[in-house]
Amino acid sequence: MDHDRCEARLRKAIGCADMCELLSAAFSFPDEPLAAALADGSFTSDVTLCMEDIGADPLAASAASEALASLVGCEPAELLTVLRKAYSQLYLAPGVDVPVFPYESAFRFVAEDRAGAPVLFRSPVTLDVEACFDRAGVAAANARKEPCDSVFSEFAFLSYLYACLAEAIRVGDGQLEEQWSNQLDAFVNQHVAQWLPAFMEQTIEAAGVVAGGEAYAALARFGSQALGAMACELPSAGR
């Protein structure tokens, strides 16, 4: 029985790590591999497998796959052009008139209706995210050019934490498993839960007025389902 529970926890941790890697790719600036994977359906297949590993409700798993269905069968080069234009309009508009900020500090600044313009890189939220990275022994990629609290960096960090949790489970190190579970709990509660579900909802809303935005509405609907599926598995060693 203990072996079966361990195997189930390991499978869920790996599933969450892989799902977060997919989410990081989905909300990074689009590249050719992403467009190709969305167009040929391999991205959707990976999502389905991750949902199974996580133990997601079948309806949630189906909804996540169906959200991406409109992108399957597109011509990859055309899809890449659409994705890049929509991404730029949604997340990279100049000045403060960004439909959806892709950085936690800026997103929460606007959500809290604070006066002035959000500060990137050195805000308290960004510095705390950086501290979470430091405690885990990792550094955000392109930290000097890109705030570490970007949507894709946070998903990549979550993937790393889940991978570390999975390894602790695999080797049967209960102390190390508790350590990674505690770091996951803290990061999810203090950061992920504070903005990523709302980020997906705002993306869906804003995508309706952006050329080609339907593609990001589809990705955000998938993102919402994925976050919901992982929520009941965030984390811990005590389960």
Side-chain angles (χ1 to χ4, degrees):
M1 182 63 70
D2 287 343
H3 176 75
D4 290 344
R5 286 190 68 235
C6 180
E7 287 295 315
R9 293 204 321 277
L10 177 58
R11 182 180 180 186
K12 288 178 179 179
I14 293 173
C16 287
D18 290 345
M19 183 67 86
C20 289
E21 187 175 352
L22 291 173
L23 286 162
S24 180
F27 291 97
S28 296
F29 188 74
D31 57 16
E32 291 181 0
L34 174 65
L38 290 169
D40 69 18
S42 58
F43 190 97
T44 304
S45 296
D46 288 343
V47 168
T48 300
L49 291 174
C50 288
M51 283 291 202
E52 291 176 359
D53 287 343
I54 292 169
D57 178 88
L59 291 177
S62 178
S65 297
E66 289 175 2
L68 300 167
S70 62
L71 305 179
V72 177
C74 292
E75 201 284 318
E78 292 180 4
L79 178 59
L80 179 60
T81 298
V82 169
L83 288 171
R84 285 181 169 175
K85 287 182 178 179
Y87 191 100
S88 297
Q89 292 179 66
L90 279 169
Y91 305 129
L92 303 178
V96 296
D97 296 324
V98 182
V100 185
F101 274 105
Y103 309 108
E104 180 185 353
S105 57
F107 185 95
R108 291 173 64 176
F109 183 98
V110 173
E112 293 163 6
D113 199 25
R114 295 165 62 185
V119 176
L120 302 180
F121 289 101
R122 307 310 295 172
S123 75
V125 169
T126 308
L127 292 175
D128 192 62
V129 171
E130 185 177 336
C132 290
F133 280 42
D134 289 342
R135 283 192 290 273
V138 297
N142 301 319
R144 293 186 177 182
K145 296 181 179 180
E146 188 80 29
C148 65
D149 63 342
S150 68
V151 56
F152 49 88
S153 289
E154 291 201 10
F155 275 129
F157 182 54
L158 271 180
S159 179
Y160 173 79
L161 293 178
Y162 272 118
C164 291
L165 175 62
E167 178 61 11
I169 295 170
R170 188 189 69 81
V171 301
D173 189 330
Q175 184 175 356
L176 196 57
E177 184 181 348
E178 182 176 7
Q179 173 188 318
W180 289 115
S181 290
N182 289 340
Q183 290 200 50
L184 264 165
D185 278 325
F187 189 69
V188 168
N189 291 331
Q190 296 167 16
H191 295 286
V192 174
Q194 300 300 318
W195 79 293
L196 285 177
F199 170 87
M200 299 302 172
E201 293 303 317
Q202 285 198 22
T203 292
I204 293 170
E205 293 175 7
V209 294
V210 168
E214 299 86 356
Y216 273 94
L219 288 170
R221 284 193 292 271
F222 144 64
S224 291
Q225 293 296 331
L227 285 169
M230 288 190 294
C232 53
E233 305 304 333
L234 292 173
S236 72
R239 288 184 186 156

